[in-house]
Amino acid sequence: MPLSLTHQILKDHLAAGELRPGSPISIHMDQALLQDATGTMALMQFEELGVPRIKVERAVQYVDHNVVQLDYKNADDHRMLQALARKYGLHFSRPGNGISHYVHMERFGKPGQTMLGADSHTTQAGCLGMLAIGAGGLDVAVVLGGHPYEIASPEVVEVHLSGTLDRPWVQAKDIILELLRRVRASGGKNKVFEFTGPGTADLSVPERATIANMVADLGGTAGVFPPDETTRSWLERQDRAGDFAEVGPDHGAEYDERIEIDLGALGPLVAKPHNPDNVVGVEEVAGTEIAQVCIGSSVNSGYNDLALPGAVLADRGGQIVNPRLAATATPGSRQILAAIAESGVYRQLSDGGVRMLEPVCGPCVGMGQAPPSDANSLRTFNRNFPGRSGTPEDSVFLCSPAVAAVSLLTGRIEDPRQYGDAPELLPMPELRPYVDDVHIFAPADDAEAERIEIPRGPNIKRPPEHRPLGDALEARIATVQPDDISTGDLAPDGVEVMAYRSNVPAIAEFTLRHRDPEFRRRLKEWGSGFIVAGENYGQGSSREHAALAPLHLGVKAVIAKSFARIHRRNLIAQGIVALTFDDPSDYDRAEVGQTWQLRELRHELEQGAETIAARIEEGGQELVLRHDFSESERAILLAGGLLSHLRESEGTGGADSGAGRAEQRDAGERAHDGGGGGDSGGGDGGRREDEGLIREAGQGVGGHHE
Ligand code: MIC
């Protein structure tokens, strides 16, 4: 049977299982990507494996998220990550060097390879013909330890792009927004989107990157652009001609589904608050007053994305950004920063009044540049979940650089097609001096690696422990949540909260703070609880803190109408039972405070039962719950989490000796406690005993600095 490129890559990397949609498979990973906000937990969990050096061909630790450095916390994380990378064999991209996805595309992505990344937008690497998948930190840690990654074998959707874009006013961003409009935010679950057709060939690599990145926002597993001459010349420009590979779909390849987009019929699109799939034509929102325009982020931070707004401003005789507006621009990488500096685009933007930011994630994850209250913000980013910008009642619209560029002029959302002929862009200079990886540091050799001590600061705490599942689970419903709860609701974005990514007890204090401020109090009072939720629970980012924080608070199970892929897996990896309703209307029976009993859970999981029996103590109603755990996921849950499962199944818990791991853990414990953290590491189901250190959310937490 003629195969899609996705199936060829999967076949080449298959460690176990059958390529039948939905059936569990394990795949070997060639590469891994980590960023600082998820990387600290990922690498600390890697340490727990006791493996001396990583076992993938290439892993890169980036620092691009937590870079505001309001106090020592971010800086301590960076220092620890640099040492961990050097010791265990990862490359380290220093802060300011660029946004992980953008730099990885420039310097490391390889057609035909696989990659697992501790960031949902890892899918961006599909622009070069990689199969790149986002995951929680623990799954990435386990892959670094040499294990394959387990996932449901995806369906492969052919996205056939016909025609060409009416550039520059209709852009690649509009293609992915059109897909979001059609497929919606959870419609891509367990699907890989493979792009074909003449419209695909016409897209540059950074344009493909914008689309592949936001496949994550369809809930998709990956997006793949088969490599072609455009890919080859991109790699040549990056001095990486040798990384090109002649791979592609077989002639007549079969796909599970086909979507056709006629690019000639596409207009500029905008995603309204509060979900990337809330897409309308720009004409529907044109005229909306805005207070902010932000250009850049991991998507739309390439040369042309910045050159167009620069040219729009310069073309109008030096017209400045409308005085009612605040505007920012973020280049994707140091390479792009150098290119816009040299070409004059930087000057066009800066002269126009755009605030030029360093190449980091920045406002996309609420790291500064929060918009004013009661105002709209227009951004070329990939997400607009409520509060993500840092302003709790925010109102964020997502768009292409073309829409952003013309809206700079008036302070309203504008339809760029009303602006006639496009201005000429300043040409991109030669990249030559910028392709050296002088700011990406190689790991130490084995001898030096052994001697490297890992510096840790007082905000850095060991990951929670996993406890084996008991025979039954019984707990009170601690919260009932609606559809589309994002991991940002569970573990919020922004400078204040994200500074605690290495400190689960502290970050737990912010869980659901806007959705249900009483949630934490209830769990503290009751000691444990269940979460009940609607559809697409845990959509959005891969942050496993959305599972780690509830685990710390005592959440034992989440019962939802449906789960987003990465979060479902994160719950399981951390030993939280993720179940669905057999009859979704049973969701309506759930009330905060009720006690739900899963009396035969262990037995049912051991036996591989398809359904799980539940009973509501008050009133005695019986409910039928479902699960879709693979055999190994059942074993993970029985063991209480992925790390304990690996320890059980390998006897020693890793490739190295158990003694080595114990020693490391002791040393780690001393170091973690160094600042008076008082972390006992025990307690029920990962619950820690250092609550005394945790003050109300929003105040300082732990450590001697406060
Ligand atoms: C995001 O875009 O939501 C993030 C911030 O990059 C996250 C990672 C994180 O929460 O650290 C993601 O996409 O996984």
Side-chain angles (χ1 to χ4, degrees), residues 35 37-38 65 119-121 365 383 388 501 541-543:
Q35 42 89 343
T38 52
H65 280 66
D119 190 292
S120 62
H121 293 118
V365 282
R383 289 195 170 136
R388 179 174 164 103
R501 286 291 182 92
S541 106
S542 68
R543 62 193 71 165

Side-chain angles (χ1 to χ4, degrees), residues 137-149:
L138 178 50
D139 273 316
V140 176
V142 166
V143 158
L144 291 177
H147 298 270
Y149 174 61

Side-chain angles (χ1 to χ4, degrees), residues 6 23 32 34 54 85 139 157 221 224 249 337 339 344 408 431 460 484 506 510 532 534 622 625 643 657 663 665 693:
T6 305
S23 103
L34 295 94
I54 60 159
D139 273 316
V157 181
T221 303
V224 176
L337 176 58
L408 286 172
L431 291 174
I460 296 174
D484 291 326
F510 300 88
V532 170
E622 308 279 345
L625 304 179
L643 280 176
S657 78
E663 238 168 63
R665 203 169 164 89
L693 288 167

Side-chain angles (χ1 to χ4, degrees), residues 132-382:
I133 302 175
L138 178 50
D139 273 316
V140 176
V142 166
V143 158
L144 291 177
H147 298 270
Y149 174 61
E150 191 191 346
I151 194 169
S153 183
E155 283 177 36
V156 185
V157 181
E158 176 183 18
V159 184
H160 187 264
L161 304 180
S162 55
T164 43
L165 289 172
D166 183 13
R167 290 188 187 88
W169 300 137
V170 187
Q171 303 193 310
K173 184 64 161 281
D174 300 309
I175 300 177
I176 187 64
L177 288 175
E178 172 65 12
L179 265 177
L180 276 152
R181 193 179 66 77
R182 292 197 204 175
V183 176
R184 307 307 300 256
S186 59
K189 190 169 168 188
N190 294 338
K191 294 180 180 175
V192 173
F193 293 81
E194 188 165 310
F195 292 82
T196 66
T200 300
D202 186 45
L203 297 171
S204 70
V205 168
E207 285 178 321
R208 295 173 191 187
T210 290
I211 297 170
N213 175 297
M214 288 185 70
V215 161
D217 299 295
L218 299 167
T221 303
V224 176
F225 283 84
D228 57 8
E229 283 314 302
T230 305
T231 321
R232 189 197 295 276
S233 72
W234 166 269
L235 290 171
E236 275 164 10
R237 272 172 74 86
Q238 291 290 334
D239 239 355
R240 299 203 287 128
D243 287 346
F244 185 76
E246 297 274 0
V247 290
D250 291 335
H251 183 68
E254 288 182 19
Y255 294 90
D256 297 296
E257 206 185 306
R258 187 173 199 269
I259 296 177
E260 173 91 29
I261 302 182
D262 175 5
L263 302 188
L266 208 59
L269 297 169
V270 172
K272 297 196 296 182
H274 288 289
N275 204 296
D277 71 355
N278 196 9
V279 175
V280 296
V282 69
E283 56 285 350
E284 252 187 62
V285 287
T288 305
E289 296 275 337
I290 49 177
Q292 186 185 47
V293 173
C294 297
I295 300 160
S297 83
S298 53
V299 290
N300 295 135
S301 53
Y303 184 83
N304 285 350
D305 297 322
L306 302 173
L308 180 64
V312 163
L313 289 169
D315 193 49
R316 284 166 174 74
Q319 180 170 346
I320 61 165
V321 169
N322 187 285
R324 289 196 313 274
L325 267 188
T328 69
T330 305
S333 65
R334 200 183 286 277
Q335 210 181 84
I336 298 297
L337 176 58
I340 61 170
E342 194 175 305
S343 70
V345 166
Y346 192 106
R347 187 74 200 270
Q348 287 178 329
L349 291 166
S350 169
D351 285 358
V354 176
R355 291 171 66 181
M356 301 305 292
L357 306 182
E358 62 172 333
V360 295
C361 304
C364 179
V365 282
M367 287 289 156
Q369 319 304 326
S373 49
D374 302 320
N376 298 311
S377 172
L378 182 68
R379 298 171 164 216
T380 67
F381 301 171
N382 46 23

Side-chain angles (χ1 to χ4, degrees), residues 28-189:
H28 294 294
M29 290 290 170
D30 300 310
Q31 300 200 18
L33 173 154
L34 295 94
Q35 42 89 343
D36 52 311
T38 52
T40 57
M41 273 298 149
L43 288 186
M44 286 196 282
Q45 292 176 105
F46 173 79
E47 285 184 294
E48 302 276 328
L49 293 175
V51 177
R53 300 284 271 177
I54 60 159
K55 295 184 178 174
V56 291
E57 178 185 317
R58 162 86 68 212
V60 188
Q61 172 66 59
Y62 294 91
V63 179
D64 56 3
H65 280 66
N66 282 333
V67 290
V68 173
Q69 298 174 225
L70 267 187
D71 62 15
Y72 62 94
K73 296 188 197 76
N74 296 166
D76 284 356
D77 281 353
H78 304 170
R79 186 178 59 185
M80 174 176 77
L81 285 173
Q82 186 163 359
L84 285 167
R86 195 157 170 76
K87 183 174 181 73
Y88 291 112
L90 295 87
H91 281 69
F92 178 80
S93 173
R94 71 167 8 147
N97 201 41
I99 299 170
S100 62
H101 310 300
Y102 209 93
V103 178
H104 211 85
M105 165 180 80
E106 290 174 339
R107 308 304 309 142
F108 300 111
K110 278 193 193 175
Q113 287 207 335
T114 52
M115 175 160 82
L116 196 70
D119 190 292
S120 62
H121 293 118
T122 300
T123 52
Q124 178 162 336
C127 65
L128 293 172
M130 287 189 100
L131 190 76
I133 302 175
L138 178 50
D139 273 316
V140 176
V142 166
V143 158
L144 291 177
H147 298 270
Y149 174 61
E150 191 191 346
I151 194 169
S153 183
E155 283 177 36
V156 185
V157 181
E158 176 183 18
V159 184
H160 187 264
L161 304 180
S162 55
T164 43
L165 289 172
D166 183 13
R167 290 188 187 88
W169 300 137
V170 187
Q171 303 193 310
K173 184 64 161 281
D174 300 309
I175 300 177
I176 187 64
L177 288 175
E178 172 65 12
L179 265 177
L180 276 152
R181 193 179 66 77
R182 292 197 204 175
V183 176
R184 307 307 300 256
S186 59
K189 190 169 168 188

